Amino acid sequence: VQLQASGGGLVQPGGSLRLSCAASGFALANSAIGWFRQAPGKEREWVSSIRRGDGRTYYADSVKGRFTISSDNAKNTVYLQMNSLKPEDTAVYYCAAGRRVILSTLRMRSAYDHWGQGTQVTVSS
């Protein structure tokens, strides 16, 4: 079971990036997928999740309206489209998967069983 996060980079404020989370060894469609981020000196925080089955999406208030999470089951990949990026979005972004994630726990790191290695996003002029 492996998750591979990619797509990070350096972007100017107001720019866009699309992160990808590719899974191997299991089907993402059977799991809830979450994106978390960790800025230097800060706790890892929840950003967004997509629920298995109905594909409902959820976002932290800080990214709502700017980020979009989506999935491509044929490619076994989940994406995080990030628009209107701000310097405060700078962090290492991690994707995670969990088969027992429910609505009340999807913001919790402990609810996810598998984690990717992280990809750096830097928003700076």
Side-chain angles (χ1 to χ4, degrees):
V1 175
Q2 191 173 16
L3 293 173
Q4 181 75 32
S6 62
L10 172 64
V11 63
Q12 292 186 342
S16 299
L17 282 174
R18 188 178 78 158
L19 305 184
S20 299
C21 177
S24 59
F26 72 103
L28 284 178
N30 295 330
S31 301
I33 306 301
W35 284 97
F36 291 76
R37 66 186 182 186
Q38 188 166 17
K42 294 188 176 181
E43 294 281 326
R44 190 172 299 187
E45 65 174 0
W46 173 76
V47 175
S48 179
S49 293
I50 185 166
R51 199 167 66 175
R52 66 176 178 169
D54 59 11
R56 289 190 67 176
T57 58
Y58 305 86
Y59 300 94
D61 288 343
S62 58
V63 306
K64 198 172 294 182
R66 300 188 298 122
F67 290 11
T68 303
I69 190 171
S70 62
S71 65
D72 185 334
N73 291 337
K75 295 183 178 180
N76 215 24
T77 300
V78 170
Y79 304 98
L80 186 68
Q81 178 68 42
M82 305 186 297
N83 299 328
S84 302
L85 282 162
K86 305 175 181 179
E88 51 263 44
D89 294 318
T90 295
V92 178
Y93 283 71
Y94 299 88
C95 61
R99 299 191 65 178
R100 295 177 296 274
V101 178
I102 58 176
L103 183 58
S104 62
T105 65
L106 59 83
R107 295 169 178 79
M108 300 169 60
R109 288 173 288 172
S110 59
Y112 296 84
D113 306 308
H114 308 292
W115 290 80
Q117 84 289 1
T119 184
Q120 175 71 46
V121 172
T122 303
V123 185
S124 174
S125 55

